């Protein structure tokens, strides 16, 4: 485990050192960015819409019963912006995109494509890791921003339509605006940026150290997804602690 | 970064001295010594698992030796700047084409990534190299659309773009039908005649070895058992060498 952590840190350092080459790799970054967007946008919208709905459904009746119906928007809005959207979207992206990255790089490793790159003096960190990490670090915060808005819409719709809650659209967003400010949204977006780095680094690293044939690729993919999710949740606690007002 | 490809390639000399390598305590290379002259086609033969591919990986810098040294034009391969001074290319057993790129992008990858030529010229050089290996017009195909033999020829075209001074072939005719194997063998000889490249071929294909080699070496369990011209190796007294060269199946 400590060897993996050490390798991960070295890989991250090498990727940071390669940042001045971002412009040269712009086409690959754009390709990756659109791949991430196309593969995830619909899922992100569906997931966040229903998360918002479920949050409203769980908290709405309880609050209304206690005469606190006007707080539904505040609770749903706050929890989605600061916690649910960044964490759940990061988990979704780890499963959907991180796994694909590991599988692709792992298969390149197993079938000697990475060796071929090295023989051409092409650095795999510049060619494979930098574009993926950059694209993910831009795409995930954007997807989380969309997820926050769609989640709020889902919460508002359920709060309005459900007879046991029956909080108007205006009242929902009035409460949301009073509790959630831009800084709270940025807080969630910043978390998602950190999660993107975690997913990108773990996925690329697992791909690069893949050994064996198809079974090795499968093992790497599983490890990448599980390690990403565990590290997302652990780092979420510490990020929340650091970012507490 | 490697030097930009020159218009003409001249082979380099290669010398391996006392090369040793072990993985997890198991010795794969046990003190290999040999020399390859500039422009020579040197074939290393040996049964599977004898350390041929590991040797090639050392020669291209993908593995570091435990002991011994590799000299390119008399300079140690591991010394700073030596890998960049000489142009080397390797044709992998599987071809190792990047499956997410088209054939044209694969062939032009070295020039594009190192920004050695403008895009228009890269396209021209790519087409020229592909035509040189008999694959004109395949630029837009994906590697998955090619046969095994075509993939190897694309891999050769990709290596040629570097205009190498030393080219390493790992089992270039494995998994190929006899006709495709002949095409690859002709290609290896043609390259030597055309650009004077030094070629090191690792293979257990006896027809290929005796057809193209200037000299042949036979290795077994990481040790050199015989080295010489094809005729000398054919007459070598070592029973292991003879067993390997004459192995054949006869139905009772």
């Amino acid at each position: 485990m400590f060897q993996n952590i050490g390798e991960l840190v070295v890989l991250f350092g090498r990727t940071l050192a390669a940042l001045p080459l971002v412009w040269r790799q712009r086409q690959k970054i754009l390709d990756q960015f659109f791949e991430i967007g196309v593969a995830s946008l619909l899922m992100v919208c569906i997931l966040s819409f229903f998360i918002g709905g479920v949050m409203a459904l769980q908290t709405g009746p309880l609050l209304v019963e206690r005469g606190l119906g006007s707080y539904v928007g505040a609770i749903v809005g706050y929890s989605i912006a600061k916690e649910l959207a960044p964490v759940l979207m990061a988990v979704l992206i780890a499963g959907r995109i991180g796994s694909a990255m590991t599988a692709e790089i792992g298969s390149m490793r197993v079938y000697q494509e990475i060796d071929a790159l090295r023989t051409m003096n092409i650095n795999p960190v510049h060619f494979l890791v930098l574009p993926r990490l950059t694209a993910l670090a831009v795409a995930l915060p954007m997807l989380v921003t969309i997820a926050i808005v769609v989640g709020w819409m889902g919460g508002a719709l359920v709060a309005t339509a459900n007879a046991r809650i029956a909080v108007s659209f205006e009242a929902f967003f009035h409460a949301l605006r009073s509790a959630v400010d831009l800084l709270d949204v940025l807080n969630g977006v910043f978390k998602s940026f950190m999660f993107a780095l975690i997913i990108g680094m773990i996925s690329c690293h697992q791909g690069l150290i893949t050994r064996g044939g198809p079974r090795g690729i499968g093992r790497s993919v599983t490890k990448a997804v599980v390690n990403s999710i565990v590290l997302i949740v652990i780092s979420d606690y510490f990020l929340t602690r650091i970012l507490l007002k | 970064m490697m030097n930009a490809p020159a218009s003409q390639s001249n082979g380099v000399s290669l010398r391996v001295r006392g090369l040793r390598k072990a993985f997890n305590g198991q010795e794969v290379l046990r003190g290999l010594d040999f020399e390859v002259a500039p422009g020579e086609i040197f074939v290393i033969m040996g049964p599977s698992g004898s350390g041929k591919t590991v040797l090639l990986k050392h020669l291209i810098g993908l593995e570091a030796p435990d002991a011994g040294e590799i000299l390119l034009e008399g300079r140690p391969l591991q010394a700073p700047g030596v890998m960049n001074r000489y142009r080397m290319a390797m044709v992998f057993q599987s071809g190792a084409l990047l499956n997410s790129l088209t054939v044209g992008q694969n062939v032009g990858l070295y020039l594009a990534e190192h920004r050695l030529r403008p895009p228009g010229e890269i396209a021209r050089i790519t087409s020229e190299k592909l035509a040189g290996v008999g694959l004109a017009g395949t630029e837009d195909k994906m590697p998955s659309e090619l046969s095994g033999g075509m993939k190897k020829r694309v891999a050769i075209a990709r290596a040629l773009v570097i205009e190498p001074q030393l080219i390493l072939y790992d089992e270039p005719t494995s998994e190929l039908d006899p006709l495709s194997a002949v095409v690859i063998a002709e290609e290896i000889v043609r390259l030597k005649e055309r650009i004077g490249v030094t070629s090191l071929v690792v293979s257990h294909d006896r027809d290929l070895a005796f057809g193209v080699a200037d000299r042949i070496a036979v290795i077994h369990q990481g040790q050199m058992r015989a080295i010489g011209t094809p005729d000398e190796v054919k007459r070598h007294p070592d029973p292991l060498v003879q067993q390997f060269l004459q192995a054949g199946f006869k139905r009772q």
Side-chain angles (χ1 to χ4, degrees):
Chain A
M1 189 178 89
F2 290 113
Q3 188 189 347
N4 271 357
I5 293 170
E7 286 173 1
L8 206 58
V9 171
V10 170
L11 182 62
F12 186 57
R14 285 185 181 157
T15 313
L16 283 184
L19 272 180
L21 300 172
V22 156
W23 182 246
R24 277 179 71 164
Q25 299 290 353
R26 62 189 181 280
Q27 191 52 51
K28 282 193 212 80
I29 293 170
L30 273 177
D31 292 346
Q32 289 290 328
F33 178 78
F34 286 115
E35 211 174 302
I36 295 167
V38 168
S40 321
L41 190 57
L42 185 63
M43 287 302 292
V44 163
C45 289
I46 293 171
L47 193 64
S48 51
F49 185 85
F50 280 95
I51 289 166
V54 167
M55 275 298 292
L57 209 55
Q58 290 280 14
T59 57
L62 279 174
L63 292 169
V64 169
E65 273 170 25
R66 288 158 179 78
L68 300 169
S70 59
Y71 284 96
V72 178
I75 290 176
V76 171
Y78 194 78
S79 52
I80 285 181
K82 293 193 80 166
E83 207 54 53
L84 293 175
V87 172
L88 291 178
M89 294 314 123
V91 170
L92 172 75
I93 293 299
R96 180 72 187 79
I97 303 298
S99 59
M101 281 182 182
T102 307
E104 189 182 0
I105 297 176
S107 125
M108 290 181 77
R109 165 87 193 170
V110 167
Y111 297 110
Q112 295 185 305
E113 291 177 32
I114 291 178
D115 282 346
L117 287 177
R118 288 204 173 106
T119 63
M120 288 186 274
N121 214 15
I122 297 171
N123 189 330
V125 174
H126 301 177
F127 190 79
L128 298 171
V129 182
L130 181 67
R132 281 166 177 76
L133 192 70
T134 312
L136 198 53
V138 175
L140 186 54
M142 287 174 75
L143 287 171
V144 166
T145 309
I146 294 168
I148 290 171
V149 175
V150 174
W152 287 349
M153 300 301 288
L157 207 74
V158 169
T160 309
N162 189 284
R164 290 179 63 195
I165 308 170
V167 172
S168 73
F169 214 74
E170 292 78 18
F172 181 93
F173 276 103
H174 178 74
L176 191 150
R177 271 203 306 273
S178 66
V180 184
D181 58 25
L182 182 64
L183 222 60
D184 296 317
V185 175
L186 289 178
N187 184 313
V189 172
F190 175 72
K191 274 186 179 179
S192 67
F193 171 76
M194 298 304 284
F195 297 156
L197 296 185
I198 290 171
I199 297 166
M201 287 320 299
I202 291 180
S203 305
C204 292
H205 173 250
Q206 283 299 330
L208 288 172
I209 61 166
T210 300
R211 295 277 186 282
R215 191 176 283 184
I217 298 170
R219 254 197 314 268
S220 287
V221 170
T222 308
K223 270 177 92 172
V225 174
V226 172
N227 292 356
S228 294
I229 292 173
V230 170
L231 214 58
I232 285 166
V233 175
I234 293 172
S235 63
D236 182 46
Y237 171 81
F238 290 103
L239 285 170
T240 305
R241 187 75 191 80
I242 292 164
L243 296 170
L244 267 184
K245 281 180 191 168
Chain B
M1 198 202 289
M2 279 186 206
N3 297 332
S7 54
Q8 263 300 322
S9 228
N10 295 306
V12 289
S13 68
L14 173 73
R15 186 168 183 190
V16 172
R17 282 202 300 223
L19 193 68
R20 288 183 173 275
K21 182 71 178 180
F23 294 105
N24 301 321
Q26 190 185 345
E27 268 204 309
V28 180
L29 302 179
R30 305 175 180 196
L32 285 182
D33 290 286
F34 62 89
E35 272 181 66
V36 185
E40 186 180 20
I41 298 179
F42 188 79
V43 179
I44 297 176
M45 299 181 77
S48 301
S50 56
K52 305 188 296 292
T53 300
V54 175
L55 169 64
L56 278 196
K57 286 188 170 182
H58 280 80
L59 299 181
I60 198 85
L62 292 174
E63 295 280 357
D66 294 340
E69 59 180 356
I70 299 159
L71 304 168
L72 260 183
E73 289 286 281
R75 296 182 174 90
L77 190 70
Q78 303 292 337
V82 172
M83 290 286 285
N84 295 339
R85 186 189 290 259
Y86 303 104
R87 295 184 302 278
M88 297 190 287
M90 179 161 168
V91 178
F92 287 82
Q93 185 171 358
S94 60
L97 301 179
L98 273 66
N99 283 312
S100 55
L101 304 183
T102 63
V103 166
Q105 287 168 332
N106 263 287
V107 174
L109 188 62
Y110 172 78
L111 296 177
E113 277 303 305
H114 295 295
R115 299 186 157 202
L116 297 172
R117 298 279 190 275
E121 202 179 333
I122 293 175
R124 183 189 60 76
I125 293 170
T126 298
S127 300
E128 186 187 297
K129 299 297 179 194
L130 280 169
V133 294
L135 289 173
T138 56
E139 288 87 339
D140 295 328
K141 285 187 187 293
M142 297 304 288
S144 56
E145 297 173 63
L146 305 180
S147 69
M150 288 165 91
K151 279 182 190 170
K152 288 204 173 153
R153 279 147 70 195
V154 173
I156 292 175
R158 184 173 68 179
L160 291 182
V161 163
I162 299 172
E163 297 196 349
Q165 294 163 293
L166 170 65
I167 187 162
L168 311 173
Y169 299 88
D170 187 9
E171 303 283 5
T173 56
S174 68
E175 302 158 33
L176 295 187
D177 62 83
L179 289 177
S180 303
V182 168
V183 172
I184 297 288
E186 285 171 352
E187 199 58 51
I188 293 170
V189 175
R190 208 146 50 94
L191 283 178
K192 174 202 164 155
E193 288 165 356
R194 216 171 63 205
I195 58 175
V197 63
T198 306
S199 307
L200 198 145
V201 184
V202 149
S203 178
H204 48 224
D205 179 341
R206 287 170 294 195
D207 291 340
L208 171 80
F210 286 95
V212 303
D214 293 318
R215 282 190 309 141
I216 294 175
V218 179
I219 64 171
H220 182 71
Q221 294 182 343
Q223 285 180 314
M224 202 61 84
R225 303 301 297 231
I227 190 162
T229 63
D231 283 339
E232 286 167 352
V233 170
K234 265 183 193 163
R235 294 193 303 267
H236 200 277
D238 188 324
L240 264 170
V241 173
Q242 289 307 318
Q243 200 182 353
F244 177 74
L245 294 180
Q246 288 164 17
F249 174 74
K250 284 197 181 85
R251 193 168 168 173
Q252 297 300 313

